Amino acid sequence: MSDSYKRVRRIGTAGLTLTEGTFSGFINPSGTQTITYAGVRHQDINGNYGGGITMTVNAGALVPIKCEHLKPASSYVLGLFD
């Protein structure tokens, strides 16, 4: 894991959209699940995040990604910040 990660936040199935800053990545601590994520440029004409992009992530996976919105499908993930 990168030494640059300074904070972590637990994100449940309701998801979390940051009002400032970005996630630097996330960890899926258990089980395989689908994660939806979206970034600054993935908005519709009204500025909404919409469906985002989905990926399937295995337990224990560290995903280094810059995004503003994370939404796990079935459990929680740990959002990482620089």
Side-chain angles (χ1 to χ4, degrees), residues 21-22 38-43 49 66-68:
T22 57
V40 177
R41 294 180 179 90
H42 193 262
Q43 298 173 347
Y49 284 96
K66 295 281 188 189
C67 65
E68 292 179 336

Side-chain angles (χ1 to χ4, degrees), residues 15-65:
L16 179 64
T17 300
L18 300 175
T19 56
E20 62 181 55
T22 57
F23 293 107
S24 298
F26 65 89
I27 298 172
N28 180 26
S30 62
T32 299
Q33 66 173 320
T34 301
I35 310 294
T36 302
Y37 66 95
V40 177
R41 294 180 179 90
H42 193 262
Q43 298 173 347
D44 65 17
I45 197 166
N46 298 315
N48 298 317
Y49 284 96
I53 300 168
T54 60
M55 71 168 74
T56 301
V57 182
N58 294 325
L62 166 64
V63 180
I65 188 170

Side-chain angles (χ1 to χ4, degrees), residues 1-8 24-25 27 62 64 66 80-82:
M1 185 183 312
S2 171
D3 289 338
S4 68
Y5 297 131
K6 305 293 187 224
R7 290 189 315 141
V8 63
S24 298
I27 298 172
L62 166 64
K66 295 281 188 189
L80 304 170
F81 301 89
D82 285 340

